[in-house]
């Protein structure tokens, strides 16, 4: 999001901002705004989400219409749907195709945020899964439309490949400076809405973990604030952790690439763990109000197989020959995360975590305890 904001500024001004420190500073400011938004509560979050549904739909339509209409030239349909270019250095086209799924992987994470938010609401066992399904379906439709419009708007593929920020270059070449800055701005607003929802969803998840005694000093983090019963301490903790994770980018851009790959892999592994549990302990886990019926086991097996395969692919360097700068360090970072998680579990987690408590609609004492 910070890149979109800075790119919009650079397009409209002669004095350019290319300092990574500016990105970090802007990121911190946006995190503070996101925490402030989160403090307004789930009711306000509902209002924002209704607005964001309209905003995302409208901005998508503006982008997919403005680019092809204003572009001076258009690639042929044959080029758009059949052309395959390999600039990675790897000779195997199949491997190149698989490595390209990293960007697609980014569009297939985060759709569970609605379930995290629903965790503390009425009928969470039904509204959560429905929210996930709606997010997946709508994301697929939106992605296909944007991909087709983008491909038909490309003016110079080599320029995009060498650009430090291809999205801004694409908009600038397909339209004009003012329109390009406008398109970047409306996307940045959409991403800010996403950031706010991610903070709320992550905060709800971590608050649930604190409620269940799963994190250190859980009684401190479990505290709710104000009449809206907001887990403000958790929201602040989420922001602090996010900022700490981002700051090392000042020292190395390689770290950023590794962090992005690691995020996609860890998110997918987290999605796969419940599926694995379902496969192993199918008889011991009761079905919820919302389930996939007789297709449940088959879908779980496909999901686990795909996640295992996808996670391995995302650990492969995207460029050949491999150097310290082009090495995919996500495997190392995942190892660190795994070791930390295992160490925490054996040192502290297993002593305090006794399983999830009931949701607030079933047990009002949960909220009363958090208010003490």
């Amino acid at each position: 999001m910070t890149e979109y904001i800075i790119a919009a500024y650079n397009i409209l001004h002669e004095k350019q901002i290319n300092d990574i420190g500016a990105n970090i500073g802007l990121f911190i400011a946006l995190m503070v705004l996101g925490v402030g938004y989160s403090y307004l509560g789930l009711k306000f979050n509902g209002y924002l989400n209704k607005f964001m549904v309209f905003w995302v739909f409208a901005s998508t339509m503006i982008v997919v219409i403005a680019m092809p209409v204003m572009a001076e030239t258009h690639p042929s349909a044959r080029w758009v749907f059949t052309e395959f270019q390999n600039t990675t250095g790897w000779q195997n086209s199949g491997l190149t195709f698989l490595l390209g799924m990293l960007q697609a992987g980014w569009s297939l994470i985060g759709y569970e945020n609605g379930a995290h938010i629903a965790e503390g609401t009425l009928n969470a066992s039904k509204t959560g899964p429905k929210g996930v399904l709606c997010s997946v379906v709508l994301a697929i439709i939106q992605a296909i439309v944007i991909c087709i419009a983008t491909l038909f708007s490309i003016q110079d593929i080599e320029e995009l490949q060498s650009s430090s920020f291809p999205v801004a270059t694409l908009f600038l070449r397909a339209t004009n400076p003012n329109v390009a800055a406008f398109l970047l701005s409306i996307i940045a607003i959409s991403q800010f809405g996403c950031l706010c929802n991610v903070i709320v969803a992550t905060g709800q998840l971590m608050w649930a973990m604190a409620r269940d005694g799963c994190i250190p000093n859980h009684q401190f983090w479990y505290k709710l604030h104000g009449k809206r019963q907001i887990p403000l301490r958790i929201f602040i903790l989420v922001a602090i952790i996010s900022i700490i994770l981002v700051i090392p980018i000042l020292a190395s851009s390689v770290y950023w690439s590794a962090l992005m790959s690691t995020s996609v892999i860890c998110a997918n592994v987290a999605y796969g763990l419940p599926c694995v549990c379902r496969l192993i302990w199918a008889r011991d886990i009761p079905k919820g109000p919302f389930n996939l019926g007789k297709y449940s086991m088959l879908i779980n097996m496909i999901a686990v197989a795909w996640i295992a395969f996808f996670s391995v692919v995302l650990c492969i360097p995207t460029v050949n020959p491999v150097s310290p700068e082009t090495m995919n360090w996500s495997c190392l970072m995942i190892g660190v995360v795994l070791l930390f998680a295992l160490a925490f579990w054996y040192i502290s987690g297993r002593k305090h975590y006794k399983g999830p408590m009931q949701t607030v609609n079933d047990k009002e004492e949960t909220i009363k305890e958090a208010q003490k």
Side-chain angles (χ1 to χ4, degrees), residues 98 101 268-269 271-273 275-276 279 296-313:
L98 294 175
M101 291 194 300
N268 279 276
V269 170
Y271 300 156
L273 290 177
C275 298
V276 172
L279 291 175
S296 175
M297 297 301 292
L298 176 61
I299 293 176
N300 280 337
M301 287 189 288
I302 295 174
V304 171
W306 166 253
I307 290 172
F309 172 74
F310 190 48
S311 298
V312 173
V313 170

Side-chain angles (χ1 to χ4, degrees), residues 66-82:
M67 283 196 303
V69 170
M70 298 186 67
E72 294 183 359
T73 61
H74 302 89
S76 65
R78 180 183 180 86
W79 184 89
V80 169
F81 293 105
T82 65

Side-chain angles (χ1 to χ4, degrees), residues 52-64 107 134-150 186-187 190:
M52 290 308 301
V53 169
F54 160 77
W55 184 266
V56 171
F57 175 78
S59 59
T60 299
M61 296 303 297
I62 292 172
V63 170
V64 300
S107 64
C134 289
S135 297
V136 173
V137 173
L138 293 176
I140 291 174
I141 296 174
Q142 182 188 34
I144 292 175
V145 173
I146 292 177
C147 282
I148 293 176
T150 298
I186 61 175
I187 293 177
S190 299

